Amino acid sequence: MALREEKKLQTRQALIEAALTLMHEGGGFSGLSLREVSRQAGLVPTGFYRHFPDMEALGLDLATEACLNLRRTMREVRLRAQGGAAVLESVKALVAFIREQPLYFEFLARERAGGPPKLRHVIHAEIRRFVSELAEDLSKWPAYHRFPGEDLEMLADLVVNTVIHLALDLLAQPYEEDESELISRTAKQLRLIMLGAMSWHPEKGAI
Amino acid sequence: MALREEKKLQTRQALIEAALTLMHEGGGFSGLSLREVSRQAGLVPTGFYRHFPDMEALGLDLATEACLNLRRTMREVRLRAQGGAAVLESVKALVAFIREQPLYFEFLARERAGGPPKLRHVIHAEIRRFVSELAEDLSKWPAYHRFPGEDLEMLADLVVNTVIHLALDLLAQPYEEDESELISRTAKQLRLIMLGAMSWHPEKGAI
DNA sequence: TGTACATCAGTGAACGCGCGTTCACTGATGTAC
DNA sequence: TGTACATCAGTGAACGCGCGTTCACTGATGTAC
């Protein structure tokens, strides 16, 4: 009961990669067809049903996998950049990861906003979870001890959103020409955010 | 040559609104069909061709209109909030606008990331234009005179991205329950960004 | 104003096509003895 | 180890359906005189 299972997993992976490839070329998850994905994976259409009940199920599985991937990546990035103020370094590390495994990131960044409702929900929930993780990480640094939990979430959300924004812009521009410009923009934005965090006074009252 | 032209414009608008409605309910622009949109607009499928050569053309026109809409709205918001530090007020004003005309905003926010390549390009370009406008506005305030143009763009980009993020989250959650929480989160983020901007020193060297 | 003709937004039938899904099947892999 | 049976990933034909697009049309609106 090993060979058969292994082959099945390979086919499953082929389906997922077929979906990612076609989404990269075309118009997002909603534009995919079951037959198209099966064809790209070298499988007859009916074979698809051995792996997923329908396309939506593939989408949801893909979302979960991609999020796992992202969280693992970002945790590595954060550990690597434990220096604290090494913002630029951590951005560079993240960019390297995005460039290595672009399709999963592209899927998340695009379907987060543009996908079918269920898919959006899954991704949204995963990203919230991810924001909480980052907030938790931040809470361990002395500099942030004076932040109430809610404000840490707010800060983490801002950072994550800024980074996703970078990922989207990077992927929108496949040639790596102006990459460094985008990266330096994001690095500046993160630096500015950190400056703001340093002079942050919680509950300062209405603005 | 007035009545006929006027009726034609009405039908055209019906098509656009049909598309917006269906996108709101379903899976984004890529998931729309020409027949479905025509049906929703009370038009026979072949009638569609009297207004657009194909669905892509409708999408591009829609993108242009929506962006015009957004720029007009945001300009009003900015003027209304000319007090300078009235961040919360301007966010509230924007939210009111989003709630009044949600479909155009939803279209932009979703297709910016998730739509077909051409659509993404148009929206991306329009948003860049919009960021430049904001940067120009900022440059007129004394507080920002020490900012190089590049850094103003960076700041404007951060603000716009944060606001789009709010719009997306608001639209993802149709019931207006936790609206105020999202708004206060965004208001805090903008306040933090402004704090960062206050202590910003351009060209401070590597971080 | 009235008439004869032109325009053109919207109609309805028809087409070929790719779609998702069903079904009975095949044959390699796995299991029991 | 060898044999007989079970499982099940992948096959291939077939279905009904909605799709985009074509075409010739209708009849209200617009124009010329």
Side-chain angles (χ1 to χ4, degrees), chain A residues 157-184:
Chain A
D157 181 89
L158 182 55
V159 169
V160 169
N161 185 45
T162 303
V163 166
I164 290 179
H165 180 47
L166 167 64
L168 261 175
D169 278 4
L170 277 178
L171 293 165
Q173 159 193 303
Y175 319 105
E176 320 204 352
E177 352 174 301
D178 295 322
E179 181 173 298
S180 63
E181 196 175 320
L182 288 177
I183 294 176
S184 104

Side-chain angles (χ1 to χ4, degrees), chain B residues 4 8 11 44 46-47 50-51:
Chain B
R4 203 187 243 174
K8 186 172 185 185
T11 308
V44 103
T46 40
R50 295 282 173 202
H51 302 273

Side-chain angles (χ1 to χ4, degrees), chain B residues 177-190:
Chain B
E177 353 174 301
D178 296 321
E179 180 173 301
S180 64
E181 197 176 319
L182 288 177
I183 294 176
S184 103
R185 181 199 72 191
T186 301
K188 279 186 181 179
Q189 289 175 342
L190 292 177

